[in-house]
Amino acid sequence: KAGVTQTPRYLIKTRGQQVTLSCSPISGHRSVSWYQQTPGQGLQFLFEYFSETQRNKGNFPGRFSGRQFSNSRSEMNVSTLELGDSALYLCASSVLGGLGEQYFGPGTRLTVT
Amino acid sequence: AQKITQTQPGMFVQEKEAVTLDCTYDTSDQSYGLFWYKQPSSGEMIFLIYQGSYDEQNATEGRYSLNFQKARKSANLVISASQLGDSAMYFCAMREGEAPKTSYDKVIFGPGTSLSVIP
């Protein structure tokens, strides 16, 4: 069974631009969660989608948004990029979300200059 | 207040020896899940083991076992027979039970422990 895939793997953007990251979950998984990992803040939960609905949300500004499609693929969008948005963005999928285990993708490393 | 504490920023272990990575957590929920993940230098997070708050038995997965002490709010990871490939960052994480949609920070990761296996 194929794992979680994320595209692109690396991205360089300038301040003020916007970016869209994509995540394809493991086949059959309906929950997709997004995380931001930085050296200073560690791993922080962004949001979780289940059956095209945002079910949980972390403490991030409205510049961070996401969506999930009917095939469970998910996209995350960051508008008006700031230098502090430079991070590894990880996507994780699970069958039902909630208390089940998650499987992570390789991440997208975003650098904002 | 930090919800997940990993008191060992870095640890060393001799190859083939066992090692325990500490994790304590704080929650008022009765229903929650505890996870351990491994992150090698490549960056990918690898799921290792899961323990539900209502599970009576400690979880085990191959060389990994979770020493779950609910009353102490402790969920230590034990790696038996360490291998060189075990060198990585290890994260303890907690997912709390169902809550209203206005609840934030329902999934929390600890700061991690860097494990180095010495040949």
Side-chain angles (χ1 to χ4, degrees):
Chain A
K1 191 184 265 192
V4 179
T5 57
Q6 290 186 248
T7 56
R9 292 293 310 277
Y10 302 91
L11 206 50
I12 300 175
K13 291 284 189 179
T14 56
R15 275 179 299 177
Q17 287 187 313
Q18 76 163 21
V19 67
T20 299
L21 312 182
S22 181
C23 171
S24 293
I26 292 171
S27 177
H29 285 195
R30 294 167 64 190
S31 167
V32 173
S33 296
W34 289 89
Y35 299 85
Q36 181 196 66
Q37 187 177 27
T38 60
Q41 298 296 319
L43 264 159
Q44 292 185 283
F45 171 70
L46 279 156
F47 27 65
E48 177 194 9
Y49 285 87
F50 183 84
S51 292
E52 302 178 66
T53 301
Q54 187 180 87
R55 191 159 68 172
N56 294 309
K57 187 177 186 302
N59 193 20
F60 276 81
R63 300 186 296 108
F64 291 81
S65 62
R67 58 178 175 169
Q68 187 180 33
F69 301 95
S70 58
N71 61 358
S72 294
R73 190 178 71 85
S74 177
E75 286 182 347
M76 191 192 93
N77 186 276
V78 188
S79 62
T80 319
L81 284 166
E82 300 175 0
L83 294 179
D85 297 333
S86 295
L88 180 67
Y89 288 88
L90 293 161
C91 160
S93 77
S94 64
V95 176
L96 294 174
L99 299 181
E101 58 259 39
Q102 304 176 89
Y103 295 87
F104 282 76
T108 293
R109 187 163 294 282
L110 172 66
T111 302
V112 182
T113 61
Chain B
Q2 209 166 7
K3 287 206 162 192
I4 300 280
T5 303
Q6 294 180 254
T7 57
Q8 308 148 314
M11 286 195 70
F12 292 88
V13 64
Q14 204 76 37
E15 194 178 4
K16 298 180 187 176
E17 297 287 311
V19 62
T20 298
L21 306 183
D22 295 342
C23 172
T24 56
Y25 59 92
D26 181 30
T27 181
S28 54
D29 282 2
Q30 296 302 307
S31 177
Y32 53 90
L34 297 158
F35 306 78
W36 278 92
Y37 289 91
K38 170 185 176 183
Q39 188 177 40
S41 56
S42 60
E44 185 170 352
M45 295 284 284
I46 301 167
F47 165 74
L48 295 177
I49 197 166
Y50 165 79
Q51 179 86 41
S53 58
Y54 291 116
D55 294 341
E56 294 184 355
Q57 303 264 10
N58 284 345
T60 60
E61 288 286 347
R63 294 187 299 111
Y64 304 106
S65 61
L66 199 151
N67 184 1
F68 181 46
Q69 298 187 43
K70 194 170 181 177
R72 298 179 60 184
K73 294 188 176 178
S74 163
N76 298 339
L77 176 71
V78 180
I79 305 174
S80 63
S82 298
Q83 302 172 355
L84 295 178
D86 293 336
S87 294
M89 283 292 289
Y90 288 80
F91 293 93
C92 178
M94 176 173 65
R95 187 175 199 121
E96 294 176 294
E98 295 304 312
K101 287 185 180 179
T102 53
S103 174
Y104 289 85
D105 295 329
K106 289 184 60 179
V107 181
I108 309 108
F109 280 79
T113 294
S114 176
L115 177 67
S116 298
V117 180
I118 305 165

